[in-house]
Amino acid sequence: MTTQPMFTPNGDGYDIAPAGVLLLAADTAYGPPHETTPQGMRNARTLMDGILDAARAGGYTQGDILRTLLARNQPTRRVQEMAQAACDTAGAAALTSVFERARLA
């Protein structure tokens, strides 16, 4: 599997693909605690859970493995490919719903 670009420069910042959002959420949840607040870590875990739940509902079967790898906070090529596969399996409509709930939280 070839991963799609997760972070694409757009002039003012970056456009972030859903798999990139998942990796950023994992970094916030499991990265150095001094880089965010406890609430930020909880929010990141909630977002990550929503994405992985949507992937499972779409038929993705390796969510537990991906969750374990994300908790290690080492975004290897394998983790990137799995994140992309999870988001692809979840589908745009389900991810839009997850992101909208996160935005309103």
Side-chain angles (χ1 to χ4, degrees):
M1 167 188 246
T2 302
T3 57
Q4 301 298 315
M6 292 185 198
F7 306 95
T8 306
N10 66 13
D12 292 334
Y14 290 88
D15 292 326
I16 305 173
V21 173
L22 179 56
L23 293 176
L24 286 173
D27 182 59
T28 301
Y30 301 114
H34 68 277
E35 291 184 0
T36 190
T37 64
Q39 183 62 48
M41 295 168 89
R42 284 190 295 275
N43 291 348
R45 285 190 188 108
T46 298
L47 177 59
M48 199 172 62
D49 289 344
I51 294 170
L52 293 175
D53 288 348
R56 183 179 56 246
Y60 187 72
T61 60
Q62 298 197 345
D64 290 339
I65 295 167
L66 179 55
R67 185 181 309 274
T68 298
L69 293 172
L70 290 170
R72 293 181 182 169
N73 199 31
Q74 297 174 347
T76 63
R77 182 159 196 80
R78 177 183 181 206
V79 173
Q80 292 173 19
E81 289 174 354
M82 290 179 75
Q84 181 176 320
C87 290
D88 290 349
T89 303
L95 292 175
T96 298
S97 178
V98 169
F99 296 150
E100 183 64 16
R101 284 193 310 270
R103 185 182 72 81
L104 296 174

